Amino acid sequence: MSKPSWGTTIAGLDIGTTKTCTVVATSTPEGLDIIGVGEAPSTGLRKGVITDLEETVRAIEAATEKAERMAGVHISHVYVGVTGAHMQGTNNRGVVAISGEDREVARSDVRRVVEASKLIDIGADRQIVHALPRQFAVDGHDGISDPVGMSGSRLEVDTHIITGGNTFITNVLKCVHRAGLEPAGIVFEPLASSAATLLAEEKHVGVVLLDIGGGTTDIAVYSGGGAIHTSTIPVGGNILTNDIALGLKTTFAEAESIKKTYASATPDAHGESEFPVKSMDGKTTRRVTRAQLHAIAAPRILEIFRLARGQIAEGLPRDILLAEIVLTGGGSQLRGIDQAAAEFFALPTRIGVPAMIGGLTDAVRKPEYATAVGLVLFGPKGEGAIWNGRSRSVFGKIASWWGEMWN
Ligand SMILES: Nc1ncnc2c1ncn2[C@@H]1O[C@H](COP(=O)(O)OP(=O)(O)OP(=O)(O)O)[C@@H](O)[C@H]1O
Ligand SMILES: [Mg+2]
């Protein structure tokens, strides 16, 4: 398989509920280096789903222009993140006969068996976005991560299949096109966030990733090295801000700033200390204790955790063991949230910041950039993702090259 020349640029576009972010990276002998990042506020989405095309196009253009200026390159193709309650993950199995005369598994057999696992009834209004192989089996012997070259007559695969609603995905792609960009592929956002924050060992042992954004919390569970559950819940950090605004009778902007400065997911030692809160019209201020703020914020955090646990319990086979929780997304910056999660899930918890990449890492070493950074890491692997007809020839090469590096 031919490799792209070093210096090929790859871009990711995360159209989030609170911000739109474009990341550009260039390939180096060591992997990928980030060379540009651009961000713009999102005003055209609710709960991860586009509600205003024009506003979204404007945000994509603004974020991409900034990234282009920083990188000094023109961006033509982007890997685009998608999320929302319309996205669904399910596990399936595919089986094929090993075709070659020598009965050795070839790459084409691997492709065929993954295709076979995609034969599920999803309805006319949905499409398969990813088919992620978890493990292969040759003649009934399972637990194989790469069966190429093995001998046998029957090849099986367990895949995690992710589907999305056609109309929601079409709207995302429409905005990308209108902003003058070609979608190189689409990626379910928790997979991107996982690619930027999780270590291979964690995925092997068993880990839950929660990307707490503004309007959604994206979930990905890995075990045995592959994704075994993915889902989204339509609540994120913004609901906390709403509660604070209602509870303290102030504006959303003031509540947002109070949340970031004073709120905590766990009771802290400064419970009695007070902070000023502006009234709705901004003319008067009153004082509120941190303990009062905690009483508003903590139940919402627990509700997000409860909803996440419910989704995971529903979608996960009973015998899967989990060893860790990784929190990422802007919402994971709430003070004490890692401790609250550790207590709630009774598992060690850490905050995931984008790693696994070189270049301008200081500019993106924050949890809210996990998805955007992950898009350039995961996008080119593209397993099962939709490929735009015209971009396939250019990006197909990168895809197979990265695919090989990952295997
Ligand atoms: N220091 C902080 N403390 C608490 N919350 C924070 C902090 N910084 C950011 N947030 C919250 O993070 C959320 C935004 O996160 P992020 O940028 O990951 O969302 P998004 O990707 O735009 O949205 P989504 O993924 O839901 O579509 C907001 O609710 C914001 O208030
Ligand atoms: Mg997000």
Side-chain angles (χ1 to χ4, degrees):
M1 210 75 63
S2 61
K3 291 182 180 179
S5 55
W6 307 124
T8 302
T9 59
I10 299 165
L13 173 65
D14 171 18
I15 312 169
T17 306
T18 55
K19 53 107 184 51
T20 294
C21 182
T22 307
V23 163
V24 204
T26 182
S27 54
T28 72
E30 284 78 41
L32 285 177
D33 272 1
I34 292 177
I35 54 170
V37 186
E39 192 183 324
S42 294
T43 46
L45 284 93
R46 280 199 67 228
K47 300 180 190 299
V49 165
I50 293 171
T51 50
D52 186 323
L53 296 179
E54 289 313 312
E55 290 288 333
T56 304
V57 171
R58 258 196 290 278
I60 297 172
E61 285 171 344
T64 306
E65 267 169 39
K66 283 183 197 161
E68 284 180 323
R69 232 177 293 136
M70 188 191 279
V73 296
H74 170 70
I75 298 171
S76 57
H77 292 73
V78 284
Y79 289 98
V80 188
V82 286
T83 190
H86 63 100
M87 300 296 296
Q88 282 169 11
T90 178
N91 294 317
N92 202 27
R93 177 159 265 234
V95 188
V96 293
I98 297 166
S99 54
E101 270 175 25
D102 51 3
R103 296 272 171 231
E104 242 182 42
V105 179
R107 285 218 175 271
S108 56
D109 295 315
V110 172
R111 271 196 292 275
R112 274 195 311 123
V113 76
V114 172
E115 283 303 313
S117 78
K118 288 159 83 172
L119 296 172
I120 51 169
D121 185 14
I122 53 170
D125 57 346
R126 306 185 65 74
Q127 56 189 275
I128 293 180
V129 178
H130 301 283
L132 306 162
R134 273 207 329 279
Q135 61 156 350
F136 295 89
V138 177
D139 290 353
H141 297 288
D142 55 14
I144 299 169
S145 54
D146 185 359
V148 173
M150 290 185 176
S151 299
S153 56
R154 194 174 84 244
L155 178 65
E156 292 167 84
V157 68
D158 286 325
T159 48
H160 185 65
I161 309 274
I162 297 171
T163 65
N166 292 341
T167 42
F168 299 100
I169 292 172
T170 304
N171 282 339
V172 172
L173 297 179
K174 202 177 267 179
C175 290
V176 173
H177 277 128
R178 284 197 195 162
L181 296 164
E182 280 292 331
I186 59 172
V187 177
F188 186 28
E189 288 173 14
L191 299 176
S193 305
S194 300
T197 59
L198 299 183
L199 300 167
E201 297 84 64
E202 291 173 317
K203 290 183 183 172
H204 203 82
V205 175
V207 63
V208 175
L209 174 107
L210 296 182
D211 180 327
I212 307 171
T216 61
T217 297
D218 291 338
I219 307 168
V221 183
Y222 291 81
S223 173
I228 188 146
H229 169 87
T230 50
S231 59
T232 284
I233 49 180
V235 242
N238 290 356
I239 201 159
L240 226 75
T241 312
N242 270 328
D243 286 352
I244 295 169
L246 283 172
L248 302 184
K249 301 190 175 44
T250 188
T251 59
F252 189 86
E254 172 81 344
E256 178 75 6
S257 141
I258 287 171
K259 176 175 83 171
K260 290 179 179 171
T261 318
Y262 304 108
S264 173
T266 45
D268 63 15
H270 311 288
E272 292 315 306
S273 74
E274 294 184 334
F275 58 90
V277 181
K278 279 195 209 124
S279 60
M280 290 291 249
D281 60 8
K283 287 185 178 149
T284 56
T285 61
R286 58 197 185 88
R287 302 192 70 76
V288 170
T289 66
R290 288 205 194 187
Q292 285 172 292
L293 180 62
H294 171 72
I296 297 171
R300 272 300 186 193
I301 291 296
L302 291 182
E303 192 196 337
I304 292 175
F305 291 161
R306 248 193 304 274
L307 288 168
R309 186 177 60 188
Q311 289 271 8
I312 296 165
E314 211 175 280
L316 205 65
R318 288 274 167 259
D319 56 345
I320 298 294
L321 296 177
L322 299 170
E324 196 191 14
I325 306 284
V326 175
L327 304 177
T328 193
S332 73
Q333 294 190 77
L334 182 73
R335 195 177 301 110
I337 198 168
D338 45 349
Q339 198 188 323
E343 280 168 23
F344 182 87
F345 292 101
L347 284 173
T349 302
R350 71 172 178 90
I351 306 295
V353 292
M356 333 290 173
I357 199 156
L360 294 167
T361 47
D362 284 352
V364 295
R365 201 163 277 159
K366 282 188 180 165
E368 62 255 47
Y369 297 122
T371 305
V373 170
L375 284 169
V376 298
L377 288 166
F378 185 89
K381 291 204 292 174
E383 288 131 341
I386 293 170
W387 293 83
N388 175 283
R390 270 194 290 157
S391 61
R392 189 172 192 129
S393 56
V394 183
F395 280 78
K397 279 187 199 154
I398 307 173
S400 15
W401 169 66
W402 279 108
E404 278 170 15
M405 284 201 35
W406 251 270
N407 282 333

